Amino acid sequence: MKKVFCRPKSMTDTVFHYCAGCGHSITHRLIAEVIDEMDIRGITIGVPPAGCAVLAYKYFNVDMIEAQHGRGPATATGIKRMLPDRVVFSYQGDGDLAAIGIAESFHAANRGENITVVFINNAVYGMTGGQMAPTSMLGQKTTTSPAGRASLLDGHPIQISEVFTLLPGTAYIERCTVNSPAAILKTKKAIRKAFEYQLDCRGFSLVEILSPCPTNWKMTPIESNRWIDEVMSKKFPLGVLKDLPAGEAKKGGKTP
Amino acid sequence: MMVKTIFAGFGGQGVLMMGFTLAHGAMSAGYHVTFLPAYGAEVRGGTANCTVAVADEEIASPIASKPDHLVVLNTPSLYTFQNRVAAGGYLFINSSIITVDSSRHDVQIVKVPSSEIAEKLGNPRTANTVMMGAFLKKTGLVAPDDYLGSLEEVMGSKKKAIIEINRRAFAAGFEFLEEST
Amino acid sequence: MNKVLMQGNKVIGEAAILAGCRFYAGYPITPQNEIPEYMSERLRQVEGGVFIQSESEIAAIHMVVGASAAGARAMTSSSSPGISLKQEGISSLAACQLPAVIVNMMRGGPGLGNISPAQGDYFQATRGGGHGDYRVIVLGPATAQELADLTMDAFDLADAYRTPVMILADGMMGQMMEPVVFKEPKPRVYPERHMMRGAGTGKHKIIRGLILDPLEMEEHNWTLERKYRVIAQQETRHELYRAEDAELILVAYGTGARIAKGAIKRLREMGIKAGLFRPITLWPFPTAELRELAKRNKDFMVFELSTGQVVEDVRLALQGYARIGFHGRPGGVVPTPAELANVIIRQYDPKQGIAEHQ
């Protein structure tokens, strides 16, 4: 009988620690499938973050170097500059990228580092127990915004992808989600495209993924998926935000 | 033997170059040397100074709280540093620019109109080298040949003509004191 | 090689290049700006060289983490406040057992402090500096020649023990020019198996500081500790200066040691037999070697450009076997050898020994 579905070679045989309905496990698998399909397992180096995905090094069957909180793009920069022909991706959450590591992420993008950032935006700090994130929605109740996020006190949800499109060093930015089979397929295509752009030395690529966190949203997985469509994606619209044609890519972040 | 000298003036007068070439010449002559420039906020606002130590033994501190000699190319530097020169030491004054007198009477004051001499030679920027000629004539710290050799090495990449102008400037400063003493 | 007259900061840069350093990331801060400037030019000239002016000291050290993991000889440099920012990454290098060289050209502190030479970061450097249970090899050069030699050695030590190594000097060492002869660097010995360059067809590699299981974490801590013990046994370095017949031993490092040598000369002219014990490795501190001296010397005088940090290591080393005097000048003040000699004359009576520091 022909095998039609199996664990990607770029995944280890390890059970995920993620909660039911969490978007991390889906995204992990998508990345691994793309690595398999592009046959780049041997040249890929991943940089997992601090946060729920801190254990990602256990799941990917590729070289992984764990970064300190927020420093993924800096660590990835060091690797990629020394090994420009490897595929280097940093995997970051909303706290990691949009708060503590905003400087490292912003400047890696601005230098046009030829790396890929997979950005999980779930509007909440998962690992630490559901505190407010820089991408939490206005009015969203979290363990550190018990009355709901208030713009005058807590600022507004940061639209990282939109902001990063302004940086000439970025080549490709797309916002996706993983709340339906169709959305998942789209996300996989986006990840593949980002890796392809990297192989083509086009510069910084960012795939933002609106990702459900039923545990900290205090919702069922189905309610969570619905909330992404009905609430989150209103503030964080899905789609390709930037796609620089090959000729215009800056090929930045490379030492001549 | 341990001789410390402070060179001071406006930025652009070539004060650091004086110190560097002296240190380089002394190194070539086999001495222990240190060269310490003032740095950071201290040098903002247009003044520059450096300290050179030349010794025939290991140099402990490159700082000179009581320099043996002082070379000043502008008036503010005279005010800042004149009280630090060790009694009996040399105080070289660029008399083209500094028209006030030093308040020290226990040091040997050597006035050299180095800017005028340099101008007469056709390149006012060599006032510092004129002063070096006078300085080495008086102090004998480094033989003129060792110094000029270093000057050439340091300026290596620059045009031959500039080296030649500096040689002439050095000779003019050296001879100025020969004439006046 | 020829003798050259070179500024301390540039000496470090050149020594690093000669030692095979091919990655530098840093953020400008006085008094070490000539290091990034020099590296930006030299790394352009050598094959495979990468220079990045990073957005912060934090980013710089984490770029070094990445480059080191990728197998490069990597370096960053800063001065006191910037070194505080780098501590997160230095802790990470120690945890992940990655080699790297970090230069600290100390300035006055705490806080922003000033830009004058000081030695107030001794505790931070020798006690690990960042969070967690680790040490960093710390080298304290006192001449431009040592800046060259110890920078090269730092890369070798970092590789040999897979650990971060810090060059701890100060603004004066960084700004001063002295004659230097660069030695031949040793060929690099660093096995490929420690480098992360993609799994190829083999097993994937993991570099991490996160170890959630307490027992596993404990074992990792002990692994590091065993390594540090080997370093402490094998890598201590010190210099003795006029100590053979000395009755009073000064203890000082770096710029402080230079001033101490000047003071010793003056003291001897006045008939006081003084000598110097100069730690070159600040961690590991040459404890046993100093204690050995206490078998015949009963009077020690610690001098540092801080309010009393080295003196604690001296106390730990001497364990009450000798009297310890102290003189410190923090804040960017560099006292003269004459001042130090005067202080010692007031504190030291050859018959009664040194007045003990409380």
Side-chain angles (χ1 to χ4, degrees), chain B residues 53-66:
Chain B
V54 178
D56 55 10
E57 56 185 326
E58 201 176 331
I59 297 164
S61 173
I63 295 173
S65 50
K66 257 193 193 173

Side-chain angles (χ1 to χ4, degrees), chain A:
Chain A
M1 210 161 63
K2 197 181 163 217
K3 206 176 195 180
V4 291
F5 188 81
C6 66
R7 182 184 296 279
K9 285 198 192 69
S10 299
M11 297 245 83
T12 59
D13 189 4
T14 312
V15 177
F16 286 134
H17 73 285
Y18 298 114
C19 310
C22 171
H24 275 303
S25 18
I26 300 168
T27 309
H28 281 16
R29 187 185 164 98
L30 293 181
I31 293 172
E33 284 179 358
V34 167
I35 292 171
D36 278 7
E37 287 165 21
M38 290 174 70
D39 196 20
I40 52 171
R41 179 202 166 254
I43 58 163
T44 298
I45 299 169
V47 185
C52 279
V54 74
L55 296 175
Y57 63 82
K58 280 179 27 178
Y59 309 131
F60 285 99
N61 182 22
V62 303
D63 276 6
M64 299 288 274
I65 173 166
E66 188 190 72
Q68 290 279 356
H69 200 11
R71 319 299 175 216
T75 303
T77 294
I79 298 168
K80 184 73 183 188
R81 292 285 191 110
M82 293 320 298
L83 304 169
D85 57 349
R86 303 301 196 276
V87 176
V88 180
F89 76 92
S90 160
Y91 188 100
Q92 299 173 257
D94 39 41
D96 198 89
L97 192 155
I100 197 166
I102 184 74
E104 287 78 6
S105 304
F106 192 89
H107 284 274
N110 190 47
R111 288 189 303 267
E113 294 296 342
N114 191 31
I115 58 172
T116 300
V117 170
V118 178
F119 168 36
I120 301 294
N121 177 2
N122 58 14
V124 78
Y125 284 0
M127 178 69 124
T128 46
Q131 295 84 3
M132 184 175 61
T135 52
S136 291
M137 306 300 292
L138 287 180
Q140 187 180 337
K141 286 186 180 171
T142 70
T143 57
T144 50
S145 58
R149 181 177 191 166
S151 63
L152 285 179
L153 295 174
D154 310 314
H156 293 263
I158 302 177
Q159 293 162 300
I160 286 292
S161 288
E162 281 82 351
V163 172
F164 275 35
T165 57
L166 302 175
L167 300 172
T170 53
Y172 169 62
I173 299 176
E174 180 166 355
R175 186 182 284 123
C176 322
T177 180
V178 286
N179 69 344
S180 72
I184 289 169
L185 287 177
K186 230 178 177 175
T187 301
K188 183 174 169 183
K189 271 188 196 141
I191 293 168
R192 176 162 184 142
K193 195 163 167 184
F195 279 4
E196 281 169 354
Y197 274 38
Q198 186 180 154
L199 281 174
D200 198 27
C201 288
R202 292 206 203 178
F204 191 89
S205 51
L206 170 72
V207 180
E208 175 176 347
I209 298 165
L210 305 185
S211 179
C213 181
T215 302
N216 287 303
W217 293 355
K218 316 269 185 252
M219 296 178 197
T220 65
I222 290 170
E223 283 166 354
S224 300
N225 287 339
R226 205 175 292 142
W227 193 72
I228 287 175
D229 279 340
E230 289 168 3
V231 181
M232 240 188 129
S233 58
K234 297 290 183 284
K235 180 70 194 172
F236 300 106
L238 304 178
V240 177
L241 293 152
K242 186 168 184 180
D243 189 355
L244 222 52
E248 287 175 37
K250 295 287 182 290
K251 306 214 174 199
K254 282 173 74 181
T255 301

Side-chain angles (χ1 to χ4, degrees), chain C residues 61-109:
Chain C
I61 191 75
H62 290 283
M63 289 174 185
V64 164
V65 169
S68 170
R73 281 198 151 171
M75 179 169 91
T76 184
S77 66
S78 192
S79 180
S80 309
I83 294 294
S84 291
L85 288 172
K86 286 189 198 295
Q87 292 301 337
E88 177 191 65
I90 298 173
S91 171
S92 199
L93 287 163
C96 298
Q97 305 207 63
L98 290 169
V101 173
I102 301 115
V103 180
N104 182 0
M105 286 293 171
M106 289 183 280
R107 53 189 248 179

Side-chain angles (χ1 to χ4, degrees), chain C residues 92-274:
Chain C
S92 199
L93 287 163
C96 298
Q97 305 207 63
L98 290 169
V101 173
I102 301 115
V103 180
N104 182 0
M105 286 293 171
M106 289 183 280
R107 53 189 248 179
L112 267 185
N114 58 26
I115 57 170
S116 302
Q119 297 185 323
D121 303 351
Y122 181 87
F123 278 158
Q124 185 197 50
T126 58
R127 268 62 182 169
H131 62 280
D133 216 347
Y134 73 97
R135 299 284 190 165
V136 170
I137 297 176
V138 184
L139 307 174
T143 60
Q145 185 60 52
E146 260 189 356
L147 284 177
D149 296 344
L150 293 182
T151 299
M152 287 189 184
D153 294 351
F155 282 100
D156 294 336
L157 286 166
D159 281 348
Y161 294 103
R162 293 200 289 139
T163 195
V165 178
M166 181 174 283
I167 306 280
L168 191 69
D170 60 60
M172 197 179 88
M173 295 297 309
Q175 294 298 320
M176 183 176 61
M177 283 191 187
E178 268 187 319
V180 173
V181 180
F182 290 99
K183 63 179 178 185
E184 264 319 301
K186 289 181 206 150
R188 187 182 194 199
V189 185
Y190 191 68
E192 192 129 344
R193 66 172 188 279
H194 296 317
M195 304 177 186
M196 173 164 280
R197 317 191 112 166
T201 51
K203 214 175 154 266
H204 73 127
K205 216 175 265 134
I206 297 168
I207 296 178
R208 63 183 169 126
L210 180 92
I211 303 169
L212 288 178
D213 179 66
L215 284 176
E216 211 187 313
M217 185 72 227
E218 183 189 24
E219 185 41 44
H220 182 59
N221 281 135
W222 287 122
T223 302
L224 293 178
E225 172 57 18
R226 282 191 291 273
K227 177 167 82 176
Y228 299 144
R229 279 196 199 168
V230 173
I231 295 171
Q233 277 161 12
Q234 304 201 338
E235 302 298 345
T236 57
R237 298 188 204 181
H238 71 288
E239 181 204 14
L240 286 172
Y241 172 76
R242 304 186 77 167
E244 319 79 49
D245 65 337
E247 282 155 7
L248 173 69
I249 299 287
L250 275 67
V251 183
Y253 76 96
T255 292
R258 295 180 72 110
I259 295 159
K261 282 185 179 177
I264 286 164
K265 233 171 280 169
R266 282 171 173 75
L267 290 167
R268 286 201 171 245
E269 282 163 14
M270 293 183 274
I272 293 174
K273 283 186 182 168

